[in-house]
Structures are given as structure tokens and as C-alpha cells.
């Protein structure tokens, strides 16, 4: 990143010697005159940065075109180090300094469990969510990134914060609770349509019972005319009684009252029809 930014200003390896010094080594190199400038990435509270800023022979380089650099390199952030924030008594720095810095990114696998992603985000928010010299409270972490796709779980976290269960339940319990809720929702989604078909199925079974006894009664009525003996007619009469007893023992819903009443009326009609044939056979037997 240093070579890319410096390259925009014409500073490159052809006209400048780049040395891989960092931290205290870079500090000593600058003090001893081994290098003319140090490019460092670090928070103002770090030892190396504090040493540079409090050295009277060293001054921070301001980037007046810092906004342009952040447009050219989206991974850079524009920051301002206000006058006197390092040491107000000695007025360090002596004026506002425009700086550029890199953005830290947390990359995760696509199959990482959402609960772990939520825990990472909560920890990041606790550690980096406060204010410091370069950003306000709540500004970081955030979901803005121009290079990588932000995880859906992270987008939901930044938009709505931790879920209710994550705020009030430990991780192991919230995982089980979410699974139980998922099973319950699935059961409701499957059960509600079934509840709609249960009454229909019950009505179909009840109607089928009625049709069964109607068919038995119709067959019995059709066979009366072909019955020629008293014994057969007695058997038919017993069959009618069995049909009536069977219908009486069935508990039909109220909506089937008319059909049940009609069935019982037809049973009575068939019984009377059968009884009308009984006296003649009884008279012949007596003779």
C-alpha cells in the first residue's frame, strides 16, 4: 500500500531506496538518519507512534489530498489527527494533520456457523465500537466493503443488532432454542393444512357410513318382492332390525341430522312394507 500511494506522487523504487524497517527499528533508523521518512500503520497509543510524535525532530506528514487517495484506493480511510490531541501542553501535533489509514477486514468461510459469526461481531463491537482519535463511537465495525461480499448474518447484525435469544440466553441454549423454534414452525406449517383436511376427512367417512347402510337397505328392499316363504321374510325383518340398531349406535354430527332422519324413515317404510306381507303368510301357515 505504501508503494502504491507513494507511486501516485512519483516516488518509486527507481528513485527511492525502500527499507523494510518497522516499529522500534524504524524509530532508531529515523533518529540515526538512516532513513528520511517512515511509513507506519498503527494506533496513536502504540509505543512506536508515540515515540515519533513526541520527537521534536520528527513531524507527521499531512496528506492534503487524502480524500482523493481514498477515492482511488477504496481500502484506505481518511482521518484527521486534531491539533494538540497527543499533548495539549506542548501542542502536539502543532496543527491538524490529514492522514490516511488502511481498513482492517475480518474474512470468514462461507460455511461458518451463524452463531459464531454473531459472537465474532459482538466481540468486535465491544472492542472496537468505542470512540478514539480517528472515529466516533459506533462507527466501527461496519458492513461497508467494496471488495468482498458481506455475510448475510453480519448484515442482519449491523441492521438489527443481536437477536433476543443472544442477548438473554447463553450460546448453547440459544442454539437449542432456535432449533426447537425451527421444528415448531415446520410442524405448524405442515399441521395447519392437515387441520383443514381433518374435518373434510371426517365428513367423508360419516357420509360413507350413511351410504353403506343406505345401500344395505336398498338391497334388502329389492329382495322383499322375491321372498316367497315366511321364514325368509322373518330373516329380512331381523336384517332390518340390525340395520336400525347399527344406525342408532353411530354418533353422527349435527349437520347430518337430515340424512340420518331420512335413513331412519326409509328403514321404517321398508319395515312396514315387509310387515304388510307377513299376515298372508301367517294365515296360510295357520290353515
Amino acid at each position: 500500500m505504501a508503494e502504491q500511494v507513494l507511486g501516485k506522487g512519483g516516488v518509486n523504487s527507481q528513485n527511492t531506496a525502500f527499507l523494510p524497517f518497522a516499529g522500534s527499528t524504524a524509530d532508531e533508523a529515523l533518529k540515526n538518519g538512516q532513513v528520511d521518512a517512515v511509513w507506519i500503520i498503527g494506533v496513536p497509543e502504540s509505543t512506536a507512534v508515540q515515540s515519533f510524535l513526541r520527537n521534536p525532530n520528527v513531524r507527521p506528514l499531512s496528506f492534503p489530498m487524502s480524500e482523493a487517495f481514498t477515492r482511488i484506493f477504496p481500502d484506505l480511510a481518511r482521518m484527521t489527527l486534531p491539533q494538540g490531541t497527543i499533548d495539549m501542553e506542548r501542542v502536539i501535533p502543532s496543527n491538524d494533520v490529514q492522514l490516511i489509514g488502511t481498513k482492517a477486514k475480518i474474512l470468514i468461510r462461507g460455511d461458518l456457523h451463524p452463531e459464531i459469526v454473531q459472537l465474532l461481531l459482538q466481540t468486535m463491537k465491544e472492542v472496537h465500537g468505542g470512540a478514539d482519535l480517528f472515529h466516533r463511537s459506533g462507527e466501527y465495525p461496519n458492513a461497508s466493503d467494496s471488495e468482498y461480499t458481506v455475510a448475510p448474518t453480519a448484515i442482519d447484525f449491523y441492521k438489527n443488532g443481536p437477536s433476543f435469544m443472544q442477548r438473554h440466553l447463553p450460546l448453547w441454549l440459544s442454539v437449542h432454542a432456535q432449533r426447537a423454534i425451527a421444528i415448531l414452525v415446520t410442524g405448524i406449517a405442515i399441521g395447519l393444512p392437515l387441520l383443514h383436511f381433518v374435518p373434510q376427512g371426517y365428513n367423508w367417512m360419516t357420509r360413507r357410513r350413511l351410504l353403506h347402510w343406505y345401500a344395505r337397505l336398498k338391497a334388502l328392499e329389492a329382495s322383499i318382492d322375491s321372498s316367497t316363504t315366511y321364514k325368509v321374510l322373518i330373516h329380512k325383518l331381523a336384517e332390518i332390525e340390525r340395520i336400525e340398531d347399527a344406525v342408532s349406535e353411530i354418533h353422527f354430527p349435527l349437520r347430518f341430522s337430515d340424512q340420518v332422519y331420512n335413513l331412519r324413515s326409509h328403514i321404517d317404510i321398508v319395515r312396514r312394507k315387509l310387515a304388510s306381507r307377513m299376515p298372508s303368510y301367517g294365515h296360510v301357515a295357520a290353515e
Side-chain angles (χ1 to χ4, degrees), residues 110-232:
D111 60 350
L112 190 63
H113 196 286
E115 292 295 333
I116 299 178
V117 177
Q118 292 272 358
L119 288 176
L120 286 172
L121 290 167
Q122 290 185 55
T123 303
M124 290 163 55
K125 190 172 182 179
E126 292 172 3
V127 175
H128 304 289
D132 64 12
L133 291 178
F134 296 123
H135 62 267
R136 301 180 185 277
S137 177
E139 186 176 350
Y140 292 101
N142 59 53
S144 61
D145 190 88
S146 59
E147 185 177 2
Y148 299 97
T149 302
V150 181
T153 305
I155 295 176
D156 181 69
F157 179 87
Y158 289 126
K159 183 178 180 180
N160 304 313
S163 65
F164 174 83
M165 287 187 293
Q166 289 171 337
R167 290 195 300 267
H168 298 90
L169 297 177
L171 175 62
W172 67 269
L173 186 57
S174 86
V175 171
H176 291 298
Q178 290 185 15
R179 290 176 179 174
I181 291 174
I183 294 173
L184 179 62
V185 170
T186 304
I188 292 174
I190 297 174
L192 285 178
L194 291 179
L195 290 176
H196 174 72
F197 289 108
V198 167
Q200 294 183 0
Y202 179 72
N203 292 339
W204 177 81
M205 292 177 62
T206 304
R207 191 176 295 108
R208 189 171 180 183
R209 284 183 176 182
L210 284 171
L211 292 175
H212 169 74
W213 293 115
Y214 262 117
R216 291 279 298 272
L217 184 64
K218 183 177 180 181
L220 180 62
E221 184 180 13
S223 65
I224 291 177
D225 295 333
S226 61
S227 301
T228 57
T229 65
Y230 183 78
K231 184 178 180 180
V232 172

Side-chain angles (χ1 to χ4, degrees), residues 206 209-210 213 245-252 260 264:
T206 304
R209 284 183 176 182
L210 284 171
W213 293 115
D245 291 341
V247 173
S248 300
E249 292 177 359
I250 301 174
H251 299 285
F252 292 98
V260 174
R264 288 178 174 173

Side-chain angles (χ1 to χ4, degrees), residues 5-196:
V5 172
L6 294 174
K8 285 293 180 180
V11 180
N12 52 54
S13 58
Q14 280 73 39
N15 54 36
T16 305
F18 291 146
L19 301 176
F21 295 155
S24 58
T25 305
D27 185 21
E28 291 298 325
L30 189 63
K31 289 179 180 179
N32 297 334
Q34 292 179 264
V35 296
D36 300 310
V38 172
W39 179 286
I40 188 169
I41 297 177
V43 295
E45 295 81 10
S46 67
T47 303
V49 174
Q50 286 289 323
S51 177
F52 286 132
L53 292 174
R54 295 181 182 279
N55 188 340
N57 299 320
V58 176
R59 64 180 178 85
L61 177 65
S62 183
F63 281 80
M65 293 186 292
S66 57
E67 182 66 26
F69 281 107
T70 59
R71 299 296 179 89
I72 297 172
F73 304 105
D75 286 338
L76 293 179
R78 177 177 176 271
M79 301 175 294
T80 300
L81 183 62
Q83 179 184 15
T85 51
I86 302 301
D87 191 328
M88 298 190 70
E89 181 180 358
R90 298 169 56 189
V91 191
I92 300 174
S94 58
N95 54 276
D96 291 353
V97 181
Q98 299 298 322
L99 302 175
I100 55 176
T102 57
K103 299 177 182 178
K105 300 180 181 181
I106 304 298
L107 302 182
I108 61 172
R109 297 194 311 270
D111 60 350
L112 190 63
H113 196 286
E115 292 295 333
I116 299 178
V117 177
Q118 292 272 358
L119 288 176
L120 286 172
L121 290 167
Q122 290 185 55
T123 303
M124 290 163 55
K125 190 172 182 179
E126 292 172 3
V127 175
H128 304 289
D132 64 12
L133 291 178
F134 296 123
H135 62 267
R136 301 180 185 277
S137 177
E139 186 176 350
Y140 292 101
N142 59 53
S144 61
D145 190 88
S146 59
E147 185 177 2
Y148 299 97
T149 302
V150 181
T153 305
I155 295 176
D156 181 69
F157 179 87
Y158 289 126
K159 183 178 180 180
N160 304 313
S163 65
F164 174 83
M165 287 187 293
Q166 289 171 337
R167 290 195 300 267
H168 298 90
L169 297 177
L171 175 62
W172 67 269
L173 186 57
S174 86
V175 171
H176 291 298
Q178 290 185 15
R179 290 176 179 174
I181 291 174
I183 294 173
L184 179 62
V185 170
T186 304
I188 292 174
I190 297 174
L192 285 178
L194 291 179
L195 290 176
H196 174 72

